[in-house]
Amino acid sequence: MENQKRTAREILTGYQGRPIRIMEVCGTHTHEIFRLGIRGLLSPDIHLISGPGCPVCVTPVDFIDEAVWLALERGVTICTFGDLVRVPGSRMSLAGARAKGAEVRVVYSPLDAAEHAEAHPEKEVVFLSVGFETTTPSSCLAVQMAMERGLKNFSLLTANKTMPAAYEAMAGATDLFLYPGHVHAITGTGDCRRMAEKGVSGVIAGFTAREILTALAVGVARFREGEPFFANCYPRVVTDEGAPAAVRLVNGMMEPCDARWRGIGVMKDSGMKLKEAYGAYDARVRYGIPAMEGRENPACRCGEVLQGRCLPSDCKVFGRGCTPEHPIGACMVSGEGACSAFYLYSQG
Ligand code: SF4
């Protein structure tokens, strides 16, 4: 193991040659790379870029506006993961709606939200279903549970997204993807192999220091060879076939849809929504939510940060008007956001 560590370190510190851009497509990787001080180890010719892999960060403003509308205009109880509560909407965040009397509850899973609906049949309960392939199955399980228990007061407001469209959209911004291990634990390795066939290289990485360093070192060493490649550096968790049962569950209840990503815009078939047969559990169908035109704060450069086109520190309000205590954009709110990682680990 010592030899392996030394070799990885030698590759990463000693690399010289054509500058290599590596995009980590996962907020957890972004934070771990900062927290572990990995950026400081790298040769000046290796450039890490943060991509659109934080689910809260890529959720667009109009989704927050829809949730605020449900909470204030329909008196619905909103159940959500904590980070979404402080993400600014066009007029206000969910925290702002709560201050105006809306009921906004933080839950740890969609099943908690369904249980809340079961315990409170007098309330209408909506779970904000955001995230990638990793979290979508649990939203489907919550709908299944609601059906089995005959709940009539539970639904999902979906903004679930899938990674392949993002890989395609970001391919020109990077030489190498550091693929998110948890996503590919569900979907398997097929998408990464297809990207390599199209000339886009990448490595699947786990989340410990050793796993991240190994994946980076393998990526840099293979990049030097000059041919597009794919390597699975997280084989203890990611298999070629992924988790077929989870994929079947999602594909049985949901279907692809065009989805808006913050800063990137609408990408074809990059989202998942409930199929028509499950319309009773789809908050947009159930409550007839009007179309929202989300307006971002013009000072915020989250869109460029999420595409690797600028660093958080390039934003004029980074660390001044915008801090984790007083966030202006989603990338500073989320525990997985690039701006919060820069702020937490680059200050002093
Ligand atoms: S520092 Fe704040 S305002 Fe600037 S891009 Fe990041 S989240 Fe947006």
Side-chain angles (χ1 to χ4, degrees):
M1 184 177 155
E2 265 318 300
N3 277 346
Q4 188 183 356
K5 267 191 197 163
R6 210 169 25 245
T7 306
R9 182 182 286 252
E10 282 165 10
I11 292 170
L12 294 173
T13 56
Y15 175 79
Q16 286 181 322
R18 183 156 78 87
I20 173 171
R21 300 164 300 167
I22 304 176
M23 180 177 279
E24 74 263 359
V25 197
C26 169
T28 308
H29 279 153
T30 300
H31 270 254
E32 284 306 286
I33 285 169
F34 268 105
R35 192 180 68 79
L36 296 164
I38 290 175
R39 281 174 178 259
L41 295 177
L42 302 179
S43 142
D45 288 334
I46 300 174
H47 303 283
L48 290 180
I49 308 167
S50 301
C54 155
V56 169
C57 303
V58 297
T59 298
V61 174
D62 51 87
F63 180 80
I64 302 297
D65 295 344
E66 288 180 300
V68 167
W69 184 87
L70 281 173
L72 290 178
E73 304 300 326
R74 286 284 186 270
V76 157
T77 297
I78 298 293
C79 289
T80 176
F81 298 131
D83 279 353
L84 272 180
V85 174
R86 295 196 306 138
V87 174
S90 298
R91 285 190 305 129
M92 70 182 84
S93 63
L94 284 163
R98 186 193 265 157
K100 289 183 175 296
E103 184 171 356
V104 179
R105 297 180 65 83
V106 172
V107 294
Y108 294 102
S109 86
L111 297 173
D112 292 345
E115 281 175 356
H116 184 72
E118 186 173 32
H120 297 278
E122 76 284 3
K123 294 181 182 174
E124 293 282 312
V125 176
V126 171
F127 175 71
L128 304 187
S129 179
V130 302
F132 299 107
E133 288 90 336
T134 328
T135 50
T136 308
S138 58
S139 288
C140 291
L141 283 175
V143 170
Q144 263 190 358
M145 186 176 118
M147 292 171 73
E148 285 162 13
R149 299 188 184 183
L151 306 187
K152 303 287 185 221
N153 62 336
F154 175 74
S155 55
L156 303 180
L157 183 63
T158 53
N160 298 86
K161 294 186 168 52
T162 51
M163 290 309 305
Y167 297 158
E168 298 271 357
M170 294 298 117
T174 185
D175 299 303
L176 176 76
F177 281 119
L178 196 68
Y179 289 124
H182 45 14
V183 165
H184 293 286
I186 302 292
T187 61
T189 59
D191 292 327
C192 310
R193 292 184 193 283
R194 278 186 284 280
M195 292 301 289
E197 284 162 13
K198 292 178 186 175
V200 183
S201 298
V203 287
I204 295 177
F207 298 94
T208 66
R210 181 178 171 178
E211 286 165 343
I212 294 171
L213 285 170
T214 300
L216 287 171
V218 168
V220 169
R222 295 283 300 272
F223 176 79
R224 235 189 225 146
E225 293 169 10
E227 293 298 321
F229 68 93
F230 157 68
N232 178 7
C233 295
Y234 196 29
R236 74 185 173 91
V237 173
V238 175
T239 59
D240 282 349
E241 64 274 18
V247 173
R248 268 196 308 278
L249 171 71
V250 171
N251 290 341
M253 299 180 69
M254 290 188 164
E255 60 191 4
C257 61
D258 297 349
R260 182 178 298 283
W261 296 54
R262 185 186 295 265
I264 300 172
V266 176
M267 288 198 279
K268 190 166 174 48
D269 288 340
S270 64
M272 295 297 280
K273 65 174 185 178
L274 285 166
K275 290 181 176 174
E276 204 176 332
Y278 299 93
Y281 301 93
D282 182 333
R284 291 192 183 90
V285 174
R286 193 180 170 100
Y287 301 104
I289 304 173
M292 304 277 170
E293 291 211 10
R295 277 175 290 104
E296 311 224 12
N297 187 314
C300 179
R301 297 182 70 183
C302 273
E304 292 164 86
V305 170
L306 289 166
Q307 296 176 78
R309 285 171 25 203
C310 79
L311 292 173
S313 50
D314 294 331
C315 174
K316 279 193 182 135
V317 292
F318 173 81
R320 291 190 280 272
C322 185
T323 64
E325 292 74 33
H326 301 286
I328 288 176
C331 299
M332 189 62 93
V333 176
S334 172
E336 296 188 8
C339 294
S340 75
F342 258 71
Y343 185 85
L344 290 173
Y345 301 113
S346 307
Q347 302 293 303

